[in-house]
Amino acid sequence: MIRSLRSSYKGWLLAGIVLLLLIAIPLVILFSSLFTTPQSSKAILEQTLPGEAFFNTLALCVIAAVVSLFLGGGTAWLVTQYQFPLRKFFSWSLALPLTIPGYILAFTYAGIFSFSGPLQTVIRNQFGQDRAQALHFDIMNLPVLGLLFALALFPYVFLSAKAAFSIQSARQIESARSLGKKGSSILMKIALPLSRPALAAGVFLVMMEVINDYGAASYFGIRTYTTALFRTWGYDIQAALLLAGWILLFVFGLLIAERLLRGKARYQNTARQSYVPITPLKGFRAWTATFLCSIPFVFGFLIPFSFLGYWAMQTAPKIMNDHFFVLTWNSIQLAFIATIVIVVVALILAYVRKLHQSFSGKIIAQFINVGYAIPGAVIAVGVLAFSGWSDAMIAHFGSAKGLFFTGSIAMLIFAYLVRFLAVAYQPLEAGLEKNHGSLGESSRSLGKSPLRTLLFVELPLLRNTVLVAAIMVFVDVMKELPLTLILRPFNFETLATETYRHAKIMESVPESSSAALILIFIGAIPVFVLSRLMTEKHGT
Amino acid sequence: MGLELKNISRSFGKNRFALSGINFSMQKGEILALLGESGSGKSTLLRIIAGFELPDKGSINLSGKTICDEKISLHPEKRNIGLVFQDYALFPHLNIEKNIAFGQKKNPSRTTNEWLALVGLPGMGKRYPHELSGGQQQRVAIARSLAAEPELLLLDEPFSNLDDSIRSSVRGEIRDIIRSTNTTAVFVTHDTRDCMAVADKVIVLSNGKLLQEGDPKQLYIQPCNSYVARIFGEVNIVEGEIARQLSGLKKFGIRPQHIIPGNDFSCTVLSCRFDGDHYDLELDLNGSKLHFHSDQPYTKDEVIRISFPKDKIIDLSHES
């Protein structure tokens, strides 16, 4: 211990600890609310929290998880093992549904199936009012919402399963084949067990996104933990804090379950990168594979994207006004500033971790990564309590009175930091780790301080990683709805809140389409940049 | 005064010592080799001197200044010690010139071009590290460290990544480069040939302990124990009654090439194998097996007579 302290870079260490403590404050507030909430607030919560919230949340999680496991895992297996028409196209385009946020997918399908929607309009014009009424079916229910979540989120499973199938278990699959096993038994006996950690990670992300959702569930009128949190927050902040604390426990429960499911199995990539030679399929079987892969692509991307495009063309003249440009500019500015803050903080923390290998770095990394699992609304409530407390402190000790932090852009960005730090931290930590240790040490033995080493040696080598991290954070901030809804300054709209406002409050899905499309296009950037970087890497 | 280490110890957990009580000193301009097998602690010692690891106990002085003791420890970048890594660690995003200029101080004694000329790479400044061969990269790495004008240069296994064919010439080149700048240097190796060719002084480490220090010739001729004797080359170890009969010592060592044909002892040839420069004979001397390097072949079961020159006998009687 003394040895470590003597050698430590105290400035860096201090910066790291201060940043971590700051990020931990909202979470600490939430945890302490589990024990300190007054009885009156508990009574309010009993009224605002519907009994079915727990069941609904869990049911949505399970439906979305199971369906996306089949959609993502199945298509990943086909794409990595077999040759069939359009295989190359599907191997990247099945990631595209991820560009449509769950709430936008839900609004879109609700719009398609609504009475005034295109489907009903066509039937009414062709077969008359009665037929249309008879053929109208209500999709605004829990199982459909679960399915929609799966359609929006299955790429998480697809991407991690694809990586696992094509790289990690390549050698084992080959040896199983040489031992005379056939496709299906390889999948069940080799590929699935070996890919369990990757699949579990993908499914876990799906469930986290489901819990995080506010827009879709509130639009469908399904009462979940998160929608209950919004309602409660309207009544009593203490009660909301308590509920947020419970959700936090729920999420931690899932987190632990995922770790247990992954077990000790940390199947490492023993072989060097190698790809399984793919088996060509012929005739009927080949087209069946194409058909199966097209289902999630068509329903998860093509249909909603087409309708949004159609609506956007219809409504753009009405929507594209000064207000729209202002809020687009708001969104971009906000996401840009948040991205810079988050990437810089993540870089500092990752570098502190590299400088102080011995300093419980693992725990720090774990702690940061947990942040991404916590729903945005929960973080928002924690940050809200923190800013309220800070304002009270200023009012108490300072002469000025008022709301300095509450409802400020600074607090909004701070909340994004808590929520999305892991998105930037993970690639940066991995990137710094990949920069060979001797490079940094060389620079320091040549007389350069850690800061100069970071700026002149580590960072130039990390250019691509920083870019990737920044793009991912930028997109996530742009799309984030519940957190932004709670913490944004008064009358401050972003593309995400505008989409929600048009769809839910003004009840016009078509009018939300322009903002939604911009979000989708921005969300598509990482899909293309990442696949571009991947191919570059394989090229050299 | 050059470098001085006092009682440097470093443990990995209880009773597991990576290094225990290492003491040595060296003069300015000397080249010292830390010799040992893997796990002997030699690389840990090098990293402790560089400042990337810390000792539990002990102190290090460089040019009369304490750079590390139980209370303070200068960060690596404050020590003015250059470290050349085994993988050279050239910065891949900088060209050769910028690599060399990276650590240069204001008003350097040599320009980057002069450094390039010194290490035999004139005109290569605009190239990038990946365009150079392994040997060239190494010379750039050394030039880069020397260009920062360190008081001490450390080299981690400088010869282990090189092909055998160029190894011996590289040894000479590197020694000459270091000499020409009059830099004090410490290098780590597991190969005694590196020590012989480059070092003024050798320190033998085993299991974190310093076994012996001295110039390479001294270690070869008078190793302090059979371990040191063995790492410096093949040696016959003889002990017990037979040892007393042969030399009057309880235990001694003699190298195969030091045994000469003579009249003192007669023995039987067990096997004879051609080994390139000589014939390697296995002999039976009153039940004790000896290796003997001979210029001429013998047949199995032939009886020959040999002698042990007195000055070539390594006294190991303290070990028995």
Side-chain angles (χ1 to χ4, degrees):
Chain A
M1 188 63 183
I2 286 170
R3 187 167 68 211
S4 324
L5 270 179
R6 187 155 44 111
S7 77
S8 66
Y9 290 91
K10 293 183 186 70
W12 284 91
L13 196 61
L14 197 69
I17 291 172
V18 167
L19 285 172
L20 277 179
L21 285 179
L22 197 64
I23 292 161
I25 288 175
L27 305 184
V28 171
I29 291 176
L30 290 176
F31 265 118
S32 61
S33 71
L34 287 173
F35 310 102
T36 58
T37 307
Q39 207 57 44
S40 58
S41 294
K42 281 184 183 162
I44 291 175
L45 193 55
E46 267 163 33
Q47 289 169 7
T48 55
L49 181 67
E52 76 253 34
F54 173 77
F55 170 78
N56 284 349
T57 307
L58 197 65
L60 285 173
C61 279
V62 170
I63 295 173
V66 171
V67 177
S68 49
L69 191 59
F70 274 97
L71 289 179
T75 51
W77 180 248
L78 289 174
V79 158
T80 53
Q81 304 296 315
Y82 301 105
Q83 179 61 44
F84 52 87
L86 295 180
R87 182 191 74 89
K88 264 235 163 95
F89 169 74
F90 284 127
S91 71
W92 66 269
S93 66
L94 280 171
L96 280 179
L98 212 51
T99 60
I100 307 184
Y103 58 92
I104 290 180
L105 192 79
F107 299 162
T108 309
Y109 272 101
I112 294 172
F113 282 95
S114 71
F115 277 111
S116 56
L119 208 64
Q120 280 285 306
T121 311
V122 168
I123 299 173
R124 203 160 33 230
N125 291 346
Q126 295 288 321
F127 306 103
Q129 180 74 28
D130 296 345
R131 253 302 176 55
Q133 207 117 48
L135 276 175
H136 178 261
F137 51 98
D138 183 20
I139 65 158
M140 311 273 269
N141 55 46
L142 188 144
V144 171
L145 184 60
L147 277 179
L148 289 177
F149 279 138
L151 277 177
L153 302 169
F154 82 90
Y156 282 126
V157 182
F158 172 75
L159 290 171
S160 57
K162 194 176 80 164
F165 291 154
S166 65
I167 299 165
Q168 277 182 349
S169 25
R171 286 263 170 272
Q172 289 85 343
I173 290 174
E174 278 182 345
S175 48
R177 209 161 261 162
S178 79
L179 291 166
K181 294 281 179 211
K182 284 246 165 71
S184 57
S185 91
I186 292 175
L187 176 65
M188 299 312 289
K189 291 198 171 132
I190 310 285
L192 277 186
L194 278 177
S195 318
R196 201 182 61 188
L199 293 174
V203 168
F204 179 71
L205 276 176
V206 170
M207 296 206 275
M208 288 306 109
E209 289 291 335
V210 171
I211 298 172
N212 182 44
D213 171 78
Y214 168 72
S218 91
Y219 191 81
F220 271 53
I222 311 285
R223 296 164 155 194
T224 64
Y225 266 156
T226 312
T227 59
L229 184 59
F230 267 75
R231 258 163 60 90
T232 313
W233 163 63
Y235 288 100
D236 184 81
I237 181 83
Q238 289 290 335
L241 274 173
L242 178 61
L243 178 54
W246 284 349
I247 300 175
L248 204 57
L249 284 186
F250 184 74
V251 168
F252 281 175
L254 282 180
L255 204 67
I256 291 165
E258 191 247 1
R259 289 286 140 85
L260 289 179
L261 198 65
R262 202 192 292 174
K264 281 186 196 142
R266 202 156 304 138
Y267 304 103
Q268 286 228 329
N269 196 356
T270 46
R272 266 169 289 155
Q273 286 213 343
S274 59
Y275 292 87
V276 192
I278 44 184
T279 318
L281 294 178
K282 289 207 180 84
F284 175 71
R285 304 181 62 168
W287 287 103
T288 308
T290 309
F291 174 69
L292 288 176
C293 286
S294 69
I295 294 175
F297 174 73
V298 168
F299 287 97
F301 185 77
L302 200 58
I303 291 178
F305 184 74
S306 309
F307 274 101
L308 284 172
Y310 168 70
W311 285 328
M313 280 195 288
Q314 281 188 323
T315 57
K318 187 181 161 200
I319 294 296
M320 296 285 178
N321 50 25
D322 285 354
H323 171 71
F324 188 81
F325 291 118
V326 166
L327 69 93
T328 306
W329 182 234
N330 276 352
S331 274
I332 291 171
Q333 256 184 316
L334 183 67
F336 189 74
I337 297 169
T339 301
I340 290 175
V341 170
I342 291 168
V343 169
V344 168
V345 171
L347 193 64
I348 291 172
L349 288 172
Y351 194 55
V352 170
R353 162 118 162 82
K354 184 167 185 170
L355 281 178
H356 301 275
Q357 295 282 3
S358 58
F359 247 91
S360 336
K362 252 198 172 151
I363 298 169
I364 294 170
Q366 293 272 357
F367 171 76
I368 292 170
N369 291 338
V370 163
Y372 193 56
I374 302 170
V378 171
I379 289 175
V381 170
V383 168
L384 208 57
F386 175 46
S387 55
W389 177 81
S390 312
D391 284 337
M393 282 293 136
I394 290 179
H396 186 76
F397 291 108
S399 52
K401 272 201 172 42
L403 300 178
F404 285 95
F405 293 111
T406 310
S408 71
I409 295 280
M411 272 298 147
L412 185 56
I413 286 173
F414 174 62
Y416 287 138
L417 173 66
V418 178
R419 171 130 171 81
F420 295 124
L421 181 60
V423 177
Y425 178 82
Q426 277 177 342
L428 289 176
E429 191 206 49
L432 276 176
E433 209 59 42
K434 226 171 44 196
N435 279 359
H436 216 286
S438 56
L439 289 176
E441 291 186 348
S442 258
S443 158
R444 280 154 63 202
S445 81
L446 289 166
K448 302 291 184 206
S449 66
L451 180 64
R452 281 169 174 271
T453 301
L454 178 63
L455 291 179
F456 299 121
V457 177
E458 308 275 15
L459 261 188
L461 294 171
L462 274 185
R463 262 201 326 242
N464 278 353
T465 315
V466 172
L467 186 71
V468 167
I471 290 174
M472 297 207 302
V473 170
F474 186 84
V475 170
D476 269 341
V477 171
M478 282 290 240
K479 291 199 295 194
E480 174 64 36
L481 178 64
L483 189 154
T484 317
L485 274 179
I486 296 182
L487 287 176
R488 68 194 161 135
F490 185 67
N491 263 349
F492 182 91
E493 298 282 354
T494 68
L495 286 168
T497 62
E498 182 73 356
T499 314
Y500 177 76
R501 194 171 70 92
H502 275 296
K504 168 87 179 173
I505 299 164
M506 299 168 68
E507 297 191 355
S508 169
V509 173
E511 285 181 13
S512 75
S513 58
S514 297
L517 271 184
I518 295 178
L519 283 179
I520 291 170
F521 281 123
I522 290 169
I525 297 172
V527 175
F528 289 105
V529 171
L530 291 180
S531 67
R532 179 80 186 277
L533 286 178
M534 294 285 236
T535 43
E536 257 176 37
K537 251 181 224 160
H538 289 304
T540 52
Chain B
M1 194 59 213
L3 176 72
E4 188 179 19
L5 270 70
K6 279 188 202 150
N7 197 28
I8 291 293
S9 294
R10 168 92 155 93
S11 68
F12 292 136
K14 270 185 187 164
N15 301 326
R16 284 186 56 225
F17 281 95
L19 292 167
S20 52
I22 305 292
N23 287 294
F24 71 81
S25 62
M26 57 190 291
Q27 299 302 316
K28 190 171 171 9
E30 258 187 328
I31 300 179
L32 178 124
L34 293 175
L35 175 70
E37 297 168 316
S38 63
S40 61
K42 59 189 193 301
S43 290
T44 307
L45 188 56
L46 198 75
R47 290 176 61 79
I48 284 177
I49 299 171
F52 291 113
E53 301 217 10
L54 282 173
D56 299 321
K57 267 189 247 161
S59 64
I60 305 173
N61 288 299
L62 181 63
S63 309
K65 209 172 58 195
T66 303
I67 56 173
C68 174
D69 64 19
E70 267 133 70
K71 288 193 200 74
I72 57 151
S73 172
L74 289 185
H75 288 315
E77 64 269 19
K78 301 267 167 66
R79 292 191 177 194
N80 204 13
I81 293 177
L83 174 55
V84 180
F85 285 83
Q86 194 175 356
D87 62 2
Y88 316 139
L90 295 179
F91 303 130
H93 60 299
L94 302 179
N95 65 23
I96 302 307
E97 203 175 80
K98 287 187 177 144
N99 260 287
I100 292 178
F102 190 84
Q104 267 188 328
K105 304 191 164 89
K106 279 177 195 150
N107 310 318
S109 60
R110 282 185 175 86
T111 65
T112 49
N113 282 332
E114 285 167 346
W115 279 111
L116 282 170
L118 183 78
V119 296
L121 299 169
M124 305 272 246
K126 298 291 178 209
R127 298 211 190 167
Y128 278 84
H130 68 270
E131 298 174 291
L132 267 53
S133 74
Q136 291 172 326
Q137 289 184 23
Q138 180 176 43
R139 278 180 279 160
V140 174
I142 291 172
R144 181 177 69 177
S145 286
L146 288 173
E149 298 174 37
E151 284 173 77
L152 175 67
L153 181 70
L154 306 175
L155 304 101
D156 190 7
E157 295 274 7
F159 310 106
S160 66
N161 277 357
L162 301 168
D163 288 341
D164 277 347
S165 55
I166 59 163
R167 229 168 144 158
S168 60
S169 62
V170 169
R171 287 190 189 115
E173 285 165 19
I174 289 180
R175 186 195 54 218
D176 293 344
I177 293 168
I178 296 172
R179 283 260 186 274
S180 68
T181 56
N182 195 28
T183 309
T184 318
V186 175
F187 73 95
V188 153
T189 182
H190 58 271
D191 190 336
T192 49
R193 287 170 302 175
D194 297 340
C195 302
M196 306 282 190
V198 182
D200 301 314
K201 188 155 128 183
V202 180
I203 280 178
V204 184
L205 289 173
S206 172
N207 287 326
K209 290 197 180 71
L210 190 158
L211 292 185
Q212 193 173 5
E213 66 175 294
D215 67 62
K217 194 177 168 193
Q218 188 188 355
L219 294 190
Y220 181 78
I221 296 171
Q222 298 169 307
C224 69
N225 61 21
S226 42
Y227 178 84
V228 178
R230 274 204 195 94
I231 55 174
F232 272 87
E234 238 186 298
V235 65
N236 296 298
I237 306 278
V238 186
E239 57 187 320
E241 188 51 35
I242 180 104
R244 199 161 311 162
Q245 283 172 22
L246 296 175
S247 65
L249 297 166
K250 272 192 252 166
K251 184 176 179 182
F252 72 95
I254 178 108
R255 299 195 185 275
Q257 66 272 32
H258 290 157
I259 298 176
I260 52 170
N263 289 321
D264 295 347
F265 310 104
S266 69
C267 39
T268 323
V269 176
L270 294 173
S271 69
C272 176
R273 189 171 55 82
F274 181 58
D275 207 21
D277 340 309
H278 56 257
Y279 291 91
D280 185 18
L281 271 64
E282 199 179 6
L283 305 174
D284 177 65
L285 200 161
N286 294 344
S288 178
K289 278 180 191 162
L290 291 179
H291 278 269
F292 164 46
H293 291 174
S294 154
D295 295 338
Q296 58 186 100
Y298 291 91
T299 53
K300 192 172 181 303
D301 296 330
E302 202 173 331
V303 174
I304 60 168
R305 298 182 69 80
I306 54 168
S307 290
F308 302 148
K310 266 261 155 40
D311 60 327
K312 296 288 161 66
I313 286 181
I314 301 164
D315 184 353
L316 299 171
S317 46
H318 62 281
E319 280 187 2
S320 63

